[in-house]
Amino acid sequence: MEGIHRREAAEAEPRRKRARVDDVGGGGAVAAAEEGDRLSDLPDDLLEGILALLGSRQAVQTSVLSRRWRHLWRGVRSVDIDLREFRARGNARFDSDGMEDFADAILSPALLGSGPELDSFRLHLDEDGVATNFQFQRWIRRALRRCPASVDIHYRVRTSIDWPPAVTLIPAAATSHIKTLRLFGLRPTVFLGPNEFPVLEDLHIERCFYGFSTITSSTLKNLAVISPIDRDCVRELVLIAPSLTSLHLDHPYGRAHGLRVISARSLASVLDASISMVDTDPANERNRPPNLAKFDFLVSVSDLLGRLTGVRNLELTGLTATVYNSEKFPVFPLLKALLLNDCAMGNKIILKQAPNLEQLRLHNMPQVLKKTWFG
């Protein structure tokens, strides 16, 4: 009984403050904190992982919580700078000066020697919020010196743009660490080859104008090329990627433009493919018949499809009669699932060329073609 009374008396006493050990900056003791602050008791690597999920601005803001948190953000293996976080509430304008000061500080050369190598670097900009191309080139260059494994650079345009800002990924020693590269709204002036990106696995390029004509990689597994800008001239993108398993192409084309993707080798390693073709010409009599530019683009699509001999899941959008009438439509011996969206194709073609098809979905098909499928 005496032991029970002693325990009850102890529980009735007010909670005492207790001291903790500060591992930051040499391991000195810090002021005591409330016992309920269990989060601060976690080791640095776990706290840094949590801060990496917040974004760089919020991670830095945690430095005011206590001396325990003052320098934790410096060890975060992720830099995420997003201009949208510098928009005042209820205001359409950005605090561009504040964002520039923040980016200069967090990517200061003084931190390069003390900061760890990065797992990821993400930069989201807006043409209305960045004064000069030189500024974000400097931020990219400084971030790459910390050898990020993942790089995501998004430049949002608010006007019709024909010549997006250039971006150069240097030095080569830094790009050799990149496994994931995502570029949006830029003009990359880089070579996408095995010497520049020897470990690249995931590549996503959207609304970009190309400074290269070849993608060569023995390590590339996932590739997405979305809505390329080609300045009204037919261009070719040569693809050599023997380890590719996922391919996503979304290409506008017309009588004066169209980026053709050419593969000099088989793409039998591709298991999942999505190919979308969008005719940008007005639907009138003058533009209806395909000219040489359109024909060449559509023939290149047919040739590319013929190299996907190992594909299991295939999505096709905007496939026209010109594609499969220009050459013999390819055989897909391993195809299991097929989605046709806004395609002018009858069932006789697919059912003969995909003998192992198990799942078929039809979206936005002309009524006359639906009858050929379902009678």
Side-chain angles (χ1 to χ4, degrees):
M1 292 295 293
E2 182 180 354
I4 295 176
H5 290 310
R6 188 180 300 113
R7 185 169 62 252
E8 291 176 348
E11 291 174 352
E13 292 181 359
R15 294 175 180 266
R16 293 187 177 91
K17 294 180 179 180
R18 56 190 177 85
R20 284 179 281 98
V21 176
D22 184 5
D23 294 328
V24 179
V30 298
E34 294 294 335
E35 187 177 357
D37 183 12
R38 300 292 182 87
L39 187 62
S40 295
D41 289 334
L42 295 175
D44 283 3
D45 56 347
L46 288 180
L47 292 178
E48 290 165 0
I50 294 173
L51 293 181
L53 301 176
L54 298 180
S56 293
R57 192 186 189 196
Q58 294 186 51
V60 172
Q61 289 173 341
T62 63
S63 62
V64 303
L65 295 176
S66 68
R67 279 186 287 172
R68 171 76 175 97
W69 292 79
R70 184 171 299 170
H71 301 294
L72 276 175
W73 65 271
R74 295 175 181 268
V76 175
R77 300 175 63 90
S78 175
V79 172
D80 186 346
I81 302 173
D82 194 329
L83 178 64
R84 293 171 297 182
E85 296 180 354
F86 292 84
R87 189 198 301 271
R89 182 172 298 179
N91 192 337
R93 297 182 62 83
F94 296 104
D95 179 12
S96 302
D97 292 340
M99 194 279 292
E100 292 169 10
D101 291 342
F102 175 78
D104 285 337
I106 201 170
L107 294 173
S108 168
L111 296 177
L112 293 177
S114 59
E117 289 189 355
L118 296 178
D119 291 331
S120 64
F121 167 62
R122 179 176 176 272
L123 184 62
H124 193 293
L125 301 176
D126 189 295
E127 68 173 341
D128 291 342
V130 179
T132 64
N133 185 28
F134 173 79
Q135 287 175 312
F136 80 84
Q137 285 276 34
R138 182 179 67 242
W139 299 331
I140 294 171
R141 184 174 64 252
R142 289 179 177 178
L144 289 181
R145 289 175 182 169
R146 294 178 61 182
C147 302
S150 175
V151 174
D152 186 335
I153 306 172
H154 188 117
Y155 190 89
R156 183 170 180 265
V157 296
R158 293 179 173 272
T159 58
S160 178
I161 184 169
D162 289 330
W163 194 252
V167 58
T168 302
L169 304 179
I170 54 174
T175 61
S176 64
H177 292 75
I178 297 178
K179 291 185 177 181
T180 299
L181 178 61
R182 297 176 61 88
L183 302 175
F184 183 98
L186 296 166
R187 178 163 43 98
T189 57
V190 296
F191 292 101
L192 291 172
N195 296 328
E196 293 77 18
F197 296 89
V199 297
L200 185 63
E201 296 181 357
D202 299 282
L203 178 61
H204 183 108
I205 310 174
E206 187 167 352
R207 288 290 297 166
C208 289
F209 178 82
Y210 304 117
F212 52 85
S213 58
T214 302
I215 297 177
T216 304
S217 174
S218 61
T219 58
L220 189 63
K221 297 179 180 178
N222 305 300
L223 172 64
V225 182
I226 313 297
S227 300
I229 300 173
D230 57 17
R231 291 187 62 82
D232 297 330
C233 60
V234 176
R235 298 190 49 150
E236 289 186 357
L237 177 61
V238 178
L239 175 62
I240 303 175
S243 300
L244 195 67
T245 59
S246 176
L247 175 64
H248 182 188
L249 302 178
D250 190 343
H251 286 191
Y253 72 98
R255 297 175 63 83
H257 66 90
L259 179 69
R260 299 182 296 176
V261 178
I262 308 297
S263 177
R265 303 177 185 177
S266 170
L267 294 173
S269 60
V270 175
L271 303 178
D272 301 283
S274 174
I275 299 178
S276 176
M277 295 154 285
V278 181
D279 192 341
T280 59
D281 288 334
N284 55 43
E285 292 295 333
R286 184 176 65 85
N287 290 304
R288 188 169 299 168
N291 65 347
L292 181 59
K294 271 190 176 182
F295 186 79
D296 287 345
F297 172 80
L298 295 173
V299 168
S300 73
V301 174
S302 177
D303 180 72
L304 186 67
L305 286 173
R307 299 180 184 275
L308 303 177
T309 55
V311 67
R312 267 70 164 178
N313 303 291
L314 179 61
E315 297 183 3
L316 299 175
T317 298
L319 203 64
T320 68
T322 306
V323 174
Y324 59 82
N325 285 342
S326 59
E327 296 180 3
K328 182 180 178 181
F329 195 74
V331 178
F332 301 111
L334 303 178
L335 185 63
K336 299 294 184 181
L338 173 66
L339 167 64
L340 296 178
N341 180 37
D342 194 20
C343 294
M345 300 181 64
N347 59 1
K348 293 182 180 180
I349 296 174
I350 286 296
L351 295 181
K352 288 183 178 180
Q353 306 302 81
N356 293 307
L357 189 65
E358 297 176 357
Q359 182 181 3
L360 173 67
R361 291 179 293 164
L362 304 178
H363 292 175
N364 302 317
M365 296 288 284
Q367 192 65 31
V368 64
L369 287 179
K370 285 185 179 180
K371 293 182 180 179
T372 69
W373 284 96
F374 303 109

mmCIF file of all heavy atoms in Angstrom, residues 219-254:
data_model
loop_
_atom_site.group_PDB
_atom_site.id
_atom_site.type_symbol
_atom_site.label_atom_id
_atom_site.label_comp_id
_atom_site.label_asym_id
_atom_site.label_seq_id
_atom_site.Cartn_x
_atom_site.Cartn_y
_atom_site.Cartn_z
ATOM 1 N N THR A 219 20.973 3.155 -69.440
ATOM 2 C CA THR A 219 20.368 3.022 -68.120
ATOM 3 C C THR A 219 18.945 3.560 -68.060
ATOM 4 O O THR A 219 18.231 3.315 -67.090
ATOM 5 C CB THR A 219 21.207 3.768 -67.070
ATOM 6 O OG1 THR A 219 21.316 5.156 -67.430
ATOM 7 C CG2 THR A 219 22.608 3.180 -66.979
ATOM 8 N N LEU A 220 18.524 4.304 -69.082
ATOM 9 C CA LEU A 220 17.213 4.960 -69.065
ATOM 10 C C LEU A 220 16.091 3.918 -69.057
ATOM 11 O O LEU A 220 16.049 3.030 -69.893
ATOM 12 C CB LEU A 220 17.066 5.868 -70.287
ATOM 13 C CG LEU A 220 15.841 6.777 -70.313
ATOM 14 C CD1 LEU A 220 15.877 7.773 -69.165
ATOM 15 C CD2 LEU A 220 15.749 7.510 -71.651
ATOM 16 N N LYS A 221 15.156 4.084 -68.082
ATOM 17 C CA LYS A 221 14.037 3.158 -67.944
ATOM 18 C C LYS A 221 12.696 3.807 -68.270
ATOM 19 O O LYS A 221 11.814 3.134 -68.805
ATOM 20 C CB LYS A 221 14.002 2.595 -66.525
ATOM 21 C CG LYS A 221 15.230 1.778 -66.150
ATOM 22 C CD LYS A 221 15.143 1.280 -64.715
ATOM 23 C CE LYS A 221 16.380 0.469 -64.348
ATOM 24 N NZ LYS A 221 16.325 0.008 -62.926
ATOM 25 N N ASN A 222 12.536 5.083 -67.924
ATOM 26 C CA ASN A 222 11.266 5.769 -68.135
ATOM 27 C C ASN A 222 11.509 7.068 -68.900
ATOM 28 O O ASN A 222 12.335 7.875 -68.483
ATOM 29 C CB ASN A 222 10.600 6.079 -66.794
ATOM 30 C CG ASN A 222 10.412 4.836 -65.935
ATOM 31 O OD1 ASN A 222 9.734 3.893 -66.333
ATOM 32 N ND2 ASN A 222 11.016 4.829 -64.755
ATOM 33 N N LEU A 223 10.776 7.256 -69.995
ATOM 34 C CA LEU A 223 10.931 8.455 -70.816
ATOM 35 C C LEU A 223 9.558 9.033 -71.135
ATOM 36 O O LEU A 223 8.656 8.313 -71.571
ATOM 37 C CB LEU A 223 11.664 8.132 -72.123
ATOM 38 C CG LEU A 223 11.726 9.263 -73.156
ATOM 39 C CD1 LEU A 223 12.525 10.448 -72.617
ATOM 40 C CD2 LEU A 223 12.320 8.775 -74.473
ATOM 41 N N ALA A 224 9.416 10.348 -70.917
ATOM 42 C CA ALA A 224 8.209 11.069 -71.296
ATOM 43 C C ALA A 224 8.616 12.336 -72.036
ATOM 44 O O ALA A 224 9.396 13.137 -71.512
ATOM 45 C CB ALA A 224 7.366 11.418 -70.069
ATOM 46 N N VAL A 225 8.111 12.520 -73.240
ATOM 47 C CA VAL A 225 8.347 13.727 -74.034
ATOM 48 C C VAL A 225 6.977 14.296 -74.362
ATOM 49 O O VAL A 225 6.224 13.717 -75.161
ATOM 50 C CB VAL A 225 9.148 13.424 -75.319
ATOM 51 C CG1 VAL A 225 9.407 14.721 -76.085
ATOM 52 C CG2 VAL A 225 10.459 12.730 -74.991
ATOM 53 N N ILE A 226 6.634 15.441 -73.736
ATOM 54 C CA ILE A 226 5.281 15.985 -73.799
ATOM 55 C C ILE A 226 5.297 17.347 -74.482
ATOM 56 O O ILE A 226 6.064 18.236 -74.113
ATOM 57 C CB ILE A 226 4.679 16.141 -72.380
ATOM 58 C CG1 ILE A 226 4.893 14.873 -71.556
ATOM 59 C CG2 ILE A 226 3.212 16.518 -72.463
ATOM 60 C CD1 ILE A 226 4.217 13.662 -72.102
ATOM 61 N N SER A 227 4.467 17.505 -75.502
ATOM 62 C CA SER A 227 4.225 18.791 -76.172
ATOM 63 C C SER A 227 5.503 19.564 -76.471
ATOM 64 O O SER A 227 5.709 20.675 -75.981
ATOM 65 C CB SER A 227 3.290 19.661 -75.315
ATOM 66 O OG SER A 227 2.061 19.016 -75.109
ATOM 67 N N PRO A 228 6.403 19.003 -77.253
ATOM 68 C CA PRO A 228 7.647 19.717 -77.558
ATOM 69 C C PRO A 228 7.401 20.960 -78.405
ATOM 70 O O PRO A 228 6.447 21.033 -79.176
ATOM 71 C CB PRO A 228 8.453 18.679 -78.339
ATOM 72 C CG PRO A 228 7.421 17.783 -78.947
ATOM 73 C CD PRO A 228 6.303 17.719 -77.952
ATOM 74 N N ILE A 229 8.277 21.944 -78.238
ATOM 75 C CA ILE A 229 8.243 23.173 -79.040
ATOM 76 C C ILE A 229 9.310 23.040 -80.119
ATOM 77 O O ILE A 229 10.488 22.870 -79.819
ATOM 78 C CB ILE A 229 8.522 24.405 -78.164
ATOM 79 C CG1 ILE A 229 7.457 24.522 -77.058
ATOM 80 C CG2 ILE A 229 8.552 25.675 -78.999
ATOM 81 C CD1 ILE A 229 7.754 25.611 -76.060
ATOM 82 N N ASP A 230 8.910 23.106 -81.390
ATOM 83 C CA ASP A 230 9.888 22.889 -82.452
ATOM 84 C C ASP A 230 9.979 24.053 -83.429
ATOM 85 O O ASP A 230 10.581 23.939 -84.484
ATOM 86 C CB ASP A 230 9.593 21.594 -83.211
ATOM 87 C CG ASP A 230 8.183 21.569 -83.797
ATOM 88 O OD1 ASP A 230 7.568 22.646 -83.901
ATOM 89 O OD2 ASP A 230 7.712 20.487 -84.133
ATOM 90 N N ARG A 231 9.347 25.179 -83.106
ATOM 91 C CA ARG A 231 9.462 26.390 -83.925
ATOM 92 C C ARG A 231 9.104 26.135 -85.385
ATOM 93 O O ARG A 231 9.794 26.547 -86.312
ATOM 94 C CB ARG A 231 10.860 26.987 -83.814
ATOM 95 C CG ARG A 231 11.135 27.563 -82.432
ATOM 96 C CD ARG A 231 12.454 28.294 -82.384
ATOM 97 N NE ARG A 231 12.495 29.431 -83.280
ATOM 98 C CZ ARG A 231 12.001 30.620 -82.998
ATOM 99 N NH1 ARG A 231 11.399 30.820 -81.848
ATOM 100 N NH2 ARG A 231 12.100 31.612 -83.862
ATOM 101 N N ASP A 232 7.996 25.418 -85.608
ATOM 102 C CA ASP A 232 7.421 25.256 -86.947
ATOM 103 C C ASP A 232 8.358 24.616 -87.956
ATOM 104 O O ASP A 232 8.353 24.964 -89.130
ATOM 105 C CB ASP A 232 6.947 26.609 -87.490
ATOM 106 C CG ASP A 232 5.839 27.189 -86.645
ATOM 107 O OD1 ASP A 232 5.076 26.397 -86.067
ATOM 108 O OD2 ASP A 232 5.734 28.419 -86.564
ATOM 109 N N CYS A 233 9.162 23.697 -87.511
ATOM 110 C CA CYS A 233 9.990 22.949 -88.471
ATOM 111 C C CYS A 233 10.022 21.499 -88.028
ATOM 112 O O CYS A 233 10.063 21.196 -86.840
ATOM 113 C CB CYS A 233 11.395 23.511 -88.576
ATOM 114 S SG CYS A 233 12.314 23.491 -87.031
ATOM 115 N N VAL A 234 9.968 20.593 -89.010
ATOM 116 C CA VAL A 234 9.992 19.177 -88.690
ATOM 117 C C VAL A 234 11.388 18.811 -88.203
ATOM 118 O O VAL A 234 12.379 19.088 -88.867
ATOM 119 C CB VAL A 234 9.610 18.333 -89.920
ATOM 120 C CG1 VAL A 234 9.739 16.856 -89.606
ATOM 121 C CG2 VAL A 234 8.200 18.666 -90.358
ATOM 122 N N ARG A 235 11.439 18.197 -87.038
ATOM 123 C CA ARG A 235 12.709 17.796 -86.455
ATOM 124 C C ARG A 235 12.649 16.329 -86.092
ATOM 125 O O ARG A 235 11.577 15.740 -85.984
ATOM 126 C CB ARG A 235 13.029 18.637 -85.217
ATOM 127 C CG ARG A 235 13.182 20.110 -85.494
ATOM 128 C CD ARG A 235 13.731 20.813 -84.289
ATOM 129 N NE ARG A 235 14.912 20.120 -83.769
ATOM 130 C CZ ARG A 235 15.897 20.751 -83.135
ATOM 131 N NH1 ARG A 235 15.839 22.046 -82.956
ATOM 132 N NH2 ARG A 235 16.935 20.082 -82.675
ATOM 133 N N GLU A 236 13.806 15.755 -85.862
ATOM 134 C CA GLU A 236 13.897 14.356 -85.479
ATOM 135 C C GLU A 236 14.571 14.238 -84.118
ATOM 136 O O GLU A 236 15.523 14.951 -83.819
ATOM 137 C CB GLU A 236 14.699 13.552 -86.502
ATOM 138 C CG GLU A 236 13.989 13.338 -87.816
ATOM 139 C CD GLU A 236 14.770 12.426 -88.740
ATOM 140 O OE1 GLU A 236 15.893 12.021 -88.367
ATOM 141 O OE2 GLU A 236 14.258 12.130 -89.827
ATOM 142 N N LEU A 237 14.046 13.334 -83.315
ATOM 143 C CA LEU A 237 14.659 12.987 -82.048
ATOM 144 C C LEU A 237 15.003 11.509 -82.104
ATOM 145 O O LEU A 237 14.120 10.657 -82.150
ATOM 146 C CB LEU A 237 13.705 13.271 -80.883
ATOM 147 C CG LEU A 237 14.198 12.895 -79.486
ATOM 148 C CD1 LEU A 237 15.464 13.671 -79.129
ATOM 149 C CD2 LEU A 237 13.114 13.152 -78.454
ATOM 150 N N VAL A 238 16.297 11.203 -82.150
ATOM 151 C CA VAL A 238 16.759 9.817 -82.254
ATOM 152 C C VAL A 238 16.850 9.236 -80.854
ATOM 153 O O VAL A 238 17.497 9.811 -79.972
ATOM 154 C CB VAL A 238 18.116 9.741 -82.969
ATOM 155 C CG1 VAL A 238 18.598 8.296 -83.031
ATOM 156 C CG2 VAL A 238 18.008 10.334 -84.366
ATOM 157 N N LEU A 239 16.209 8.098 -80.658
ATOM 158 C CA LEU A 239 16.147 7.456 -79.350
ATOM 159 C C LEU A 239 16.894 6.126 -79.388
ATOM 160 O O LEU A 239 16.555 5.234 -80.159
ATOM 161 C CB LEU A 239 14.686 7.240 -78.942
ATOM 162 C CG LEU A 239 14.430 6.474 -77.655
ATOM 163 C CD1 LEU A 239 15.027 7.211 -76.460
ATOM 164 C CD2 LEU A 239 12.939 6.254 -77.461
ATOM 165 N N ILE A 240 17.903 6.000 -78.532
ATOM 166 C CA ILE A 240 18.651 4.750 -78.368
ATOM 167 C C ILE A 240 18.660 4.440 -76.875
ATOM 168 O O ILE A 240 19.432 5.022 -76.110
ATOM 169 C CB ILE A 240 20.084 4.855 -78.909
ATOM 170 C CG1 ILE A 240 20.072 5.274 -80.381
ATOM 171 C CG2 ILE A 240 20.825 3.535 -78.729
ATOM 172 C CD1 ILE A 240 21.453 5.516 -80.956
ATOM 173 N N ALA A 241 17.767 3.543 -76.448
ATOM 174 C CA ALA A 241 17.612 3.242 -75.025
ATOM 175 C C ALA A 241 17.230 1.780 -74.857
ATOM 176 O O ALA A 241 16.058 1.432 -74.732
ATOM 177 C CB ALA A 241 16.544 4.145 -74.403
ATOM 178 N N PRO A 242 18.199 0.889 -74.845
ATOM 179 C CA PRO A 242 17.913 -0.547 -74.825
ATOM 180 C C PRO A 242 17.280 -1.048 -73.535
ATOM 181 O O PRO A 242 16.734 -2.159 -73.516
ATOM 182 C CB PRO A 242 19.297 -1.185 -75.038
ATOM 183 C CG PRO A 242 20.272 -0.141 -74.589
ATOM 184 C CD PRO A 242 19.648 1.173 -74.936
ATOM 185 N N SER A 243 17.331 -0.263 -72.449
ATOM 186 C CA SER A 243 16.749 -0.691 -71.171
ATOM 187 C C SER A 243 15.405 -0.032 -70.883
ATOM 188 O O SER A 243 14.855 -0.195 -69.790
ATOM 189 C CB SER A 243 17.722 -0.387 -70.024
ATOM 190 O OG SER A 243 18.949 -1.062 -70.190
ATOM 191 N N LEU A 244 14.871 0.702 -71.841
ATOM 192 C CA LEU A 244 13.638 1.455 -71.634
ATOM 193 C C LEU A 244 12.461 0.511 -71.386
ATOM 194 O O LEU A 244 12.257 -0.441 -72.136
ATOM 195 C CB LEU A 244 13.353 2.325 -72.855
ATOM 196 C CG LEU A 244 12.324 3.442 -72.689
ATOM 197 C CD1 LEU A 244 12.836 4.504 -71.734
ATOM 198 C CD2 LEU A 244 12.001 4.067 -74.048
ATOM 199 N N THR A 245 11.680 0.782 -70.323
ATOM 200 C CA THR A 245 10.505 -0.031 -70.019
ATOM 201 C C THR A 245 9.207 0.755 -70.120
ATOM 202 O O THR A 245 8.137 0.161 -70.256
ATOM 203 C CB THR A 245 10.606 -0.631 -68.610
ATOM 204 O OG1 THR A 245 10.710 0.416 -67.642
ATOM 205 C CG2 THR A 245 11.823 -1.544 -68.491
ATOM 206 N N SER A 246 9.267 2.096 -70.023
ATOM 207 C CA SER A 246 8.062 2.925 -70.091
ATOM 208 C C SER A 246 8.305 4.099 -71.029
ATOM 209 O O SER A 246 9.297 4.814 -70.887
ATOM 210 C CB SER A 246 7.697 3.428 -68.689
ATOM 211 O OG SER A 246 6.593 4.307 -68.745
ATOM 212 N N LEU A 247 7.384 4.296 -71.987
ATOM 213 C CA LEU A 247 7.522 5.360 -72.981
ATOM 214 C C LEU A 247 6.214 6.129 -73.070
ATOM 215 O O LEU A 247 5.142 5.544 -73.254
ATOM 216 C CB LEU A 247 7.869 4.765 -74.347
ATOM 217 C CG LEU A 247 7.944 5.740 -75.526
ATOM 218 C CD1 LEU A 247 9.074 6.745 -75.330
ATOM 219 C CD2 LEU A 247 8.132 4.986 -76.844
ATOM 220 N N HIS A 248 6.307 7.464 -72.940
ATOM 221 C CA HIS A 248 5.126 8.326 -73.048
ATOM 222 C C HIS A 248 5.457 9.475 -73.985
ATOM 223 O O HIS A 248 6.311 10.294 -73.687
ATOM 224 C CB HIS A 248 4.737 8.869 -71.663
ATOM 225 C CG HIS A 248 3.502 9.722 -71.690
ATOM 226 N ND1 HIS A 248 3.072 10.431 -70.592
ATOM 227 C CD2 HIS A 248 2.604 9.993 -72.677
ATOM 228 C CE1 HIS A 248 1.971 11.094 -70.900
ATOM 229 N NE2 HIS A 248 1.670 10.845 -72.168
ATOM 230 N N LEU A 249 4.768 9.526 -75.123
ATOM 231 C CA LEU A 249 4.956 10.584 -76.106
ATOM 232 C C LEU A 249 3.618 11.280 -76.330
ATOM 233 O O LEU A 249 2.609 10.629 -76.582
ATOM 234 C CB LEU A 249 5.467 10.016 -77.435
ATOM 235 C CG LEU A 249 6.789 9.241 -77.398
ATOM 236 C CD1 LEU A 249 7.115 8.719 -78.791
ATOM 237 C CD2 LEU A 249 7.910 10.098 -76.872
ATOM 238 N N ASP A 250 3.624 12.599 -76.228
ATOM 239 C CA ASP A 250 2.428 13.402 -76.468
ATOM 240 C C ASP A 250 2.838 14.540 -77.393
ATOM 241 O O ASP A 250 3.352 15.563 -76.955
ATOM 242 C CB ASP A 250 1.876 13.942 -75.144
ATOM 243 C CG ASP A 250 0.503 14.582 -75.316
ATOM 244 O OD1 ASP A 250 0.141 14.893 -76.471
ATOM 245 O OD2 ASP A 250 -0.193 14.776 -74.314
ATOM 246 N N HIS A 251 2.618 14.353 -78.715
ATOM 247 C CA HIS A 251 3.186 15.254 -79.702
ATOM 248 C C HIS A 251 2.132 15.920 -80.577
ATOM 249 O O HIS A 251 1.379 15.252 -81.285
ATOM 250 C CB HIS A 251 4.166 14.486 -80.603
ATOM 251 C CG HIS A 251 5.448 14.168 -79.939
ATOM 252 N ND1 HIS A 251 6.542 13.683 -80.624
ATOM 253 C CD2 HIS A 251 5.839 14.270 -78.649
ATOM 254 C CE1 HIS A 251 7.534 13.492 -79.775
ATOM 255 N NE2 HIS A 251 7.123 13.837 -78.575
ATOM 256 N N PRO A 252 2.080 17.258 -80.566
ATOM 257 C CA PRO A 252 1.272 17.979 -81.552
ATOM 258 C C PRO A 252 1.984 17.970 -82.906
ATOM 259 O O PRO A 252 3.219 17.922 -82.970
ATOM 260 C CB PRO A 252 1.192 19.384 -80.964
ATOM 261 C CG PRO A 252 2.427 19.527 -80.140
ATOM 262 C CD PRO A 252 2.732 18.162 -79.606
ATOM 263 N N TYR A 253 1.201 18.006 -83.962
ATOM 264 C CA TYR A 253 1.810 18.047 -85.290
ATOM 265 C C TYR A 253 0.860 18.794 -86.220
ATOM 266 O O TYR A 253 -0.321 18.992 -85.928
ATOM 267 C CB TYR A 253 2.089 16.635 -85.821
ATOM 268 C CG TYR A 253 0.853 15.869 -86.225
ATOM 269 C CD1 TYR A 253 0.454 15.802 -87.560
ATOM 270 C CD2 TYR A 253 0.076 15.224 -85.264
ATOM 271 C CE1 TYR A 253 -0.684 15.106 -87.928
ATOM 272 C CE2 TYR A 253 -1.062 14.532 -85.625
ATOM 273 C CZ TYR A 253 -1.438 14.469 -86.950
ATOM 274 O OH TYR A 253 -2.564 13.782 -87.317
ATOM 275 N N GLY A 254 1.397 19.228 -87.350
ATOM 276 C CA GLY A 254 0.597 19.956 -88.337
ATOM 277 C C GLY A 254 1.282 19.923 -89.685
ATOM 278 O O GLY A 254 2.237 19.172 -89.914
#
